[in-house]
Amino acid sequence: MSKYSAYIDKYKNEILKDLDTLVSIPSVSNEDKATLGMPFGQEVADAFSVFEEIARRLGFEIETDDGYAISANYLNGEDYIGILGHLDVVGAQNINDWDYEPYKLTIKDNILYGRGVNDDKGPLLINLYAIRILRDMGCSFNRPVKVIAGGAEETTWNCMKHYFSTHKQPIMAYSPDGNFPIVNGEKGILTFEATYPKKDSVFQIVDIHGYEQDYMIPGYIEIVVHCDNLQNVDEQLQHKFKDGNAIFAFHGKSALTRNPQRAENPLFELAKFVIENSIYFDAGFVSLLTDVSNYLKDPYGKDCNIFYEDIDMGKTSIAPYMLTMQENTYAIRMDLRYPKGIKPEYIEDKLKQLFPTLQKLREKRLLYVPKESELINKLSQAYFNITKEVAEPLTKGGASYARVLDHGIAFGATFDGYDTKCHQPNESMPLNDLLKALEIYCESIYLLACE
């Protein structure tokens, strides 16, 4: 029991009711549906409206940002403490794999289920309540606090680009969109695509299936193949065809592209099959999969000569994850994460030597805050005060809003040892973890803004 426990118990049911309301909104950011004042579409605007209603009820002043972001402010001033989270979510793909409705808060065996309970509606919500609890306790704030919610974290990040184009950076900040204890390092991100020309062949690729979600290594991949003349095809392959078409499927284990070492990438099994039967397949398709097999198998980039390991931030990683087909080309997309100590220009140059048609699709700068900083010292102290465990900073491959901050890190709300199924079916978070995170955030905001 801590000094916050009674207040947390008081607000518990109210928090769950508010979380249910937020989760019920399928707030997938879609800039193609932008209208005046709603740059990310109606659903994200609806989530902003609910956030505003909750924050006003809890006693915050509200500042909108042309529909790009919204902030709940306690006190005014330029030298403020920032808390950055997001109200947009990844869509609920593979709906048949959900055990519970994705856009409804379900509590089963003390586990919260629903899209956004962990990423990032739940953690963002409890930071509002943490400030309210400190006010209820009569704590005196020496610094203003802003809880800033964006609407395009899962897509373009245009929300934060717009917000900080007109707003001053916080003096210190955290994003509750990572892991406990403290994420003081987020690896740099580079996403590339290489293309290969289509050519004539015995087998014509009709379609490619398996890729369903961005920045996920698929759990399976299949190719649909057509053949007009099977007479000269190996008998074992002939038996796969019906009415001139065949489906070749390859199964593996899905994982986020930032963790390719956790996946069993079915692309490599596909590559093995196509290379073994290369006389039947399009030479461009064979070339693509040969390069994937030769240069992208090692998840840390050793095969493509971009491996690097930093003592603080760990290793590079690379994941081929999206195989597509256009009218005249095939394409392979690869996602790469890198620590400090290696330059993104060096990585791109090395890959271009292997993939001459390489194009860069995305780049996000790395984040690293030294362990000795005031921010990390105070958050480490807060974590220890509540959990009685030493907060050892760590590096992740994921991307939180901390990257847009001059003095910010990712801080919770996921505890080590629990798989929240982030971006996947059955996203969840133990209720006790959410409430423990609230306790930690109360102490953190107290040390940053009140002490």
Side-chain angles (χ1 to χ4, degrees):
M1 299 286 288
S2 73
K3 58 186 176 183
Y4 308 111
S5 298
Y7 295 91
I8 291 172
D9 188 59
K10 170 188 172 183
Y11 283 114
K12 174 183 171 181
N13 290 335
E14 191 175 326
I15 290 169
L16 292 176
K17 183 179 178 182
D18 288 339
L19 183 57
D20 186 22
T21 305
L22 283 171
V23 167
S24 70
I25 303 169
S27 49
V28 178
S29 181
N30 189 341
E31 294 184 24
D32 291 337
K33 295 183 178 180
T35 57
L36 184 64
M38 296 188 292
F40 309 123
Q42 182 66 56
E43 289 77 14
V44 171
D46 291 344
F48 280 171
S49 295
V50 170
F51 179 85
E52 177 176 354
E53 179 184 331
I54 294 168
R56 288 192 186 279
R57 190 183 75 234
L58 293 176
F60 290 86
E61 293 183 2
I62 299 299
E63 184 180 12
T64 59
D65 186 51
D66 302 324
Y68 284 85
I70 185 170
S71 67
N73 305 338
Y74 181 61
L75 302 180
N76 295 310
E78 289 191 347
D79 294 336
Y80 68 96
I81 301 299
I83 301 167
L84 278 67
H86 62 94
L87 288 167
D88 64 306
V89 295
V90 168
Q93 294 94 341
N94 302 321
I95 196 70
N96 292 332
D97 293 335
W98 284 80
D99 296 325
Y100 309 98
E101 292 183 41
Y103 297 115
K104 181 181 185 302
L105 179 65
T106 300
I107 306 176
K108 177 72 172 179
D109 297 329
N110 220 32
I111 305 292
L112 308 175
Y113 292 91
R115 181 61 90 215
V117 295
N118 172 264
D119 183 27
D120 187 38
K121 293 176 177 179
L124 185 64
L125 176 67
I126 61 174
N127 274 275
L128 290 177
Y129 275 91
I131 297 167
R132 177 67 204 206
I133 286 170
L134 293 174
R135 293 178 62 194
D136 287 355
M137 294 174 64
C139 297
S140 177
F141 281 70
N142 300 319
R143 289 167 171 160
V145 184
K146 289 186 178 184
V147 181
I148 305 165
E153 194 272 350
E154 302 293 2
T155 54
T156 63
W157 285 38
N158 284 336
C159 47
M160 289 298 109
K161 294 174 187 174
H162 189 279
Y163 185 86
F164 285 112
S165 69
T166 58
H167 291 79
K168 185 181 177 181
Q169 283 268 344
I171 58 170
M172 288 184 287
Y174 64 81
S175 176
D177 191 19
N179 295 71
F180 285 124
I182 291 172
V183 180
N184 73 319
E186 292 186 8
K187 294 177 181 179
I189 300 175
L190 292 165
T191 304
F192 298 106
E193 185 175 79
T195 56
Y196 294 73
K198 278 187 177 179
K199 298 184 179 180
D200 293 333
S201 58
V202 177
F203 289 171
Q204 297 98 47
I205 309 296
V206 176
D207 209 347
I208 300 172
H209 301 291
Y211 171 81
E212 294 180 344
Q213 191 169 315
D214 220 356
Y215 304 110
M216 289 289 297
I217 295 169
Y220 84 100
I221 190 167
E222 65 182 31
I223 55 173
V224 182
V225 174
H226 178 76
C227 183
D228 289 320
N229 186 357
L230 288 169
Q231 292 180 351
N232 296 322
V233 175
D234 183 273
E235 287 188 12
Q236 288 186 331
L237 292 178
Q238 284 186 29
H239 295 153
K240 299 284 186 180
F241 284 82
K242 182 178 180 180
D243 299 326
N245 290 328
I247 297 175
F248 297 100
F250 305 87
H251 295 269
K253 178 182 175 184
S254 180
L256 293 166
T257 54
R258 65 177 181 249
N259 296 314
Q261 73 281 4
R262 298 179 184 174
E264 295 173 11
N265 196 328
L267 275 169
F268 301 131
E269 289 302 311
L270 169 62
K272 180 181 177 183
F273 171 75
V274 169
I275 292 167
E276 288 175 349
N277 296 280
S278 60
I279 59 173
Y280 306 119
F281 284 96
D282 180 335
F285 195 61
V286 174
S287 180
L288 183 156
L289 290 169
T290 300
D291 287 347
V292 166
S293 182
N294 287 343
Y295 304 130
L296 302 180
K297 250 185 183 177
D298 181 74
Y300 303 110
K302 292 179 181 177
D303 294 336
C304 55
N305 301 315
I306 55 94
F307 173 79
Y308 183 82
E309 184 170 9
D310 175 72
I311 191 171
D312 296 310
M313 298 187 72
K315 304 172 183 177
T316 51
S317 69
I318 190 165
Y321 69 100
M322 181 179 178
L323 177 63
T324 59
M325 179 179 65
Q326 302 299 325
E327 183 178 356
N328 298 311
T329 60
Y330 303 103
I332 184 67
R333 192 168 292 184
M334 58 196 86
D335 191 49
L336 188 143
R337 311 291 162 116
Y338 65 93
K340 62 182 175 68
I342 184 171
K343 298 291 186 183
E345 297 82 5
Y346 173 87
I347 292 170
E348 186 172 0
D349 180 66
K350 285 292 184 182
L351 289 176
K352 276 188 173 179
Q353 294 175 26
L354 305 174
F355 301 91
T357 62
L358 195 76
Q359 288 187 319
K360 184 165 59 180
L361 303 181
R362 181 174 79 145
E363 180 174 7
K364 290 190 181 300
R365 67 174 187 171
L366 66 81
L367 164 77
Y368 182 75
V369 178
K371 299 176 183 179
E372 302 77 20
S373 71
E374 179 186 357
L375 174 62
I376 290 182
N377 283 334
K378 290 197 171 185
L379 295 183
S380 296
Q381 186 61 53
Y383 185 83
F384 179 80
N385 290 350
I386 299 301
T387 67
K388 305 308 176 188
E389 298 175 359
V390 175
E392 289 292 342
L394 54 94
T395 290
K396 302 289 285 187
S400 76
Y401 280 150
R403 291 174 190 260
V404 304
L405 297 167
D406 294 337
H407 303 287
I409 52 92
F411 185 53
T414 301
F415 289 90
D416 188 38
Y418 185 82
D419 182 4
T420 63
K421 303 291 184 183
C422 176
H423 294 189
Q424 300 174 62
N426 299 317
E427 179 181 339
S428 66
M429 187 172 188
L431 175 57
N432 290 340
D433 282 5
L434 188 72
L435 299 179
K436 178 61 71 175
L438 171 54
E439 199 172 4
I440 293 169
Y441 291 137
C442 287
E443 182 72 356
S444 302
I445 296 167
Y446 176 78
L447 295 180
L448 290 171
C450 301
E451 191 176 63

